[in-house]
Amino acid sequence: MHAPGIWGIIVVAIVVILLFGRGKIAGLMGEVASGIKSFQKGMRDEENKPAAQIDASTTVEPVAQPEKKDA
């Protein structure tokens, strides 16, 4: 299988522009950029958030171990 040449890339680019139009492509890129910025903001907020504290009211009682009998 061979890699597409420059003419193949140009034809694909023209078809994409004809199908979607310049306005839709620009709007799509704007939405992608805002999504990336939102993701980065969420990651920064997650780093700055203090660690969750353990609630003392939900304690787990240990399970009793059966006694071992010496044979």
Side-chain angles (χ1 to χ4, degrees), residues 42-67:
M43 293 300 291
R44 277 193 303 258
D45 290 346
E46 194 68 31
E47 289 175 359
N48 295 336
K49 188 185 291 186
Q53 296 180 356
I54 298 174
D55 187 10
S57 65
T58 58
T59 58
V60 177
E61 295 182 19
V63 177
Q65 297 292 328
E67 294 182 22

Side-chain angles (χ1 to χ4, degrees), residues 10-23 25:
I10 290 173
V11 169
V12 170
I14 290 173
V15 169
V16 167
I17 290 173
L18 288 175
L19 287 176
F20 297 107
R22 289 178 38 192
I25 293 174

